[in-house]
Amino acid sequence: MYEEEVQQGRASKRRRSIKKFQKEVEMEKRLRRSSLSQIHSAEQKRNQANRNKSKAVSASYPFSAQSFMVLFCVTVSLLILPLMLPPLPPPPLMLLLIPIGILLVLLILGFMPSDVRNIASSYLWE
């Protein structure tokens, strides 16, 4: 009888130690998951910061290599073509007055007073 009680006590100790071990393993798994999620979120933040830096770098250089080539070709053609082509007669006087007229219309529109409240209310109530 005593031996049975001892064996049952040992078995219950084993069960408790196994349960304790299983709990420790579960806690370790949770810690690993949380640390992995923290590492993953840190990597995402780092990647986002790198993307923002690359956007900032691209924003500071508005012209690409292709646009520089286009500008270079236009510049070269404006410098070389007048030397190669025959001289053209001057345009008629009325054609020269068109840019001046456009400038005057823009100046008048630019300095014309406007009622901001009417403009804002027309957008707000639509």
Side-chain angles (χ1 to χ4, degrees), residues 39-88:
I39 290 170
H40 182 66
S41 64
E43 286 178 2
Q44 283 181 336
K45 288 178 185 176
R46 197 175 318 121
N47 289 339
Q48 183 66 29
N50 288 338
R51 280 190 221 119
N52 290 341
K53 285 180 184 177
S54 67
K55 285 180 184 177
V57 169
S58 66
S60 63
Y61 301 112
F63 298 113
S64 65
Q66 293 172 342
S67 60
F68 272 118
M69 285 303 296
V70 169
L71 289 172
F72 179 74
C73 291
V74 168
T75 304
V76 168
S77 67
L78 286 173
L79 290 174
I80 301 294
L81 284 177
L83 299 174
M84 298 171 60
L85 294 175
L88 297 173

